[in-house]
Amino acid sequence: MSRAERLLALMQALRRRREPVRGAVLAQELGVSLRTFYRDIASLQAQGASIEGEAGVGYVLRPGFTLPPLMLSEEEIEALVLGSRWVAAHTDPELAEAARNALAKIHAVLPAPLRHELESNALLVPAREAPAPEALLASIRRAIRAQRKLRLDYRDAAGASSERVVWPFALGFFEQTRMVAAWCEQRVDYRHFRVDRIAALEVLQDRYPRQRQQLLKEWRSTQRIPRPRD
């Protein structure tokens, strides 16, 4: 591994962590001596990286610094291309366009050899045969971001209709279905709603009273494999 690759790997290791991590842990992860690790930390700090910490305590990277030019491994490029192609084929037009734009930005800052790898990537993603209603997906995503309640006209597996007011906090993209995880005011519990069973949807002006992150954390602690229950 070259020094540039090692510095990039160190930056990535720090980015993955929100809490300070000891130098010995990072040095072992990167396969370098502790002395080399300290030199690399000093080098990154000299280049402007906002790395806080000290020996024996731990290190943490504050937001706002990237290492130019963008360097990616071949596997990372494959993961980015495959992921963006999956999003383009399996989500709504807005998110698909965002994936293509993100990939174009990455393409613009890659060194020439890596741009060639991106352009010639051969990992393909087939289109879905029965896509979920596209307009609903975009509306649900916006409601989740804004933490707004949704009013749903929902049909269960037997075709019975019900009106629900829910707090959506996650959208799952499964192989054959798209599913909303939400707190249901009528059931006073977490529920999962298949997007293809939503007959009508309204994004309400009311924000739900709890933070999305809190709902997601609580849901993860009580759920296993989400399945439509209504």
Side-chain angles (χ1 to χ4, degrees):
M1 180 186 296
S2 68
R3 183 171 181 272
E5 291 173 329
R6 193 175 70 242
L7 291 177
L8 178 62
L10 175 54
M11 288 291 294
Q12 293 299 97
L14 288 167
R15 282 195 184 103
R16 291 195 299 268
R17 294 170 167 90
R18 297 183 179 180
E19 301 296 329
V21 58
R22 294 177 59 230
V25 173
L26 290 169
Q28 182 178 15
E29 180 179 320
L30 298 171
V32 300
S33 68
L34 197 54
R35 182 177 180 181
T36 297
F37 167 79
Y38 290 141
R39 284 203 306 265
D40 289 346
I41 286 288
S43 178
L44 289 172
Q45 289 172 329
Q47 294 181 53
S50 182
I51 300 173
E52 299 179 3
E54 58 184 84
V57 177
Y59 296 86
V60 64
L61 176 67
R62 299 305 177 191
F65 177 79
T66 56
L67 271 178
L70 181 64
M71 296 296 293
L72 299 170
S73 69
E74 292 181 0
E75 287 76 15
E76 288 169 336
I77 289 175
E78 288 183 340
L80 286 170
V81 173
L82 185 61
S84 67
R85 288 176 178 171
W86 191 95
V87 169
H90 292 258
T91 62
D92 58 87
E94 290 181 16
L95 203 58
E97 182 67 15
R100 288 189 287 266
N101 289 341
L103 201 60
K105 291 177 181 178
I106 293 171
H107 179 277
V109 297
L110 283 175
L114 293 181
R115 283 202 303 271
H116 175 73
E117 290 293 333
L118 188 149
E119 293 165 354
S120 60
N121 187 275
L123 300 182
L124 306 177
V125 176
R128 293 186 68 226
E129 295 182 0
E134 296 173 342
L136 295 187
L137 291 177
S139 297
I140 292 167
R141 289 193 297 103
R142 286 193 288 268
I144 290 173
R145 282 202 305 268
Q147 298 187 159
R148 296 196 182 280
K149 297 181 181 182
L150 291 175
R151 180 179 287 116
L152 306 180
D153 178 0
Y154 192 71
R155 307 286 194 267
D156 64 16
S161 175
S162 63
E163 184 178 286
R164 307 293 185 90
V165 174
V166 303
W167 310 350
F169 56 84
L171 182 58
F173 291 81
F174 295 86
E175 186 65 28
Q176 298 299 326
T177 62
R178 305 293 177 258
M179 196 173 298
V180 183
W183 176 266
C184 178
E185 291 186 352
Q186 281 78 356
R187 296 292 187 262
V188 195
D189 197 1
Y190 291 106
R191 288 291 189 268
H192 309 104
F193 301 91
R194 282 180 51 156
V195 175
D196 59 352
R197 293 179 182 169
I198 299 175
L201 174 153
E202 179 186 359
V203 180
L204 303 179
Q205 290 301 311
D206 295 340
R207 292 170 60 90
Y208 44 79
R210 298 178 61 193
Q211 290 296 311
R212 180 177 70 245
Q213 294 83 353
Q214 294 175 335
L215 294 173
L216 186 60
K217 182 178 180 180
E218 184 176 289
W219 170 78
R220 282 174 170 164
S221 70
T222 59
Q223 304 293 318
R224 293 187 180 276
I225 300 176
R227 299 181 184 279
R229 297 170 57 182
D230 293 291

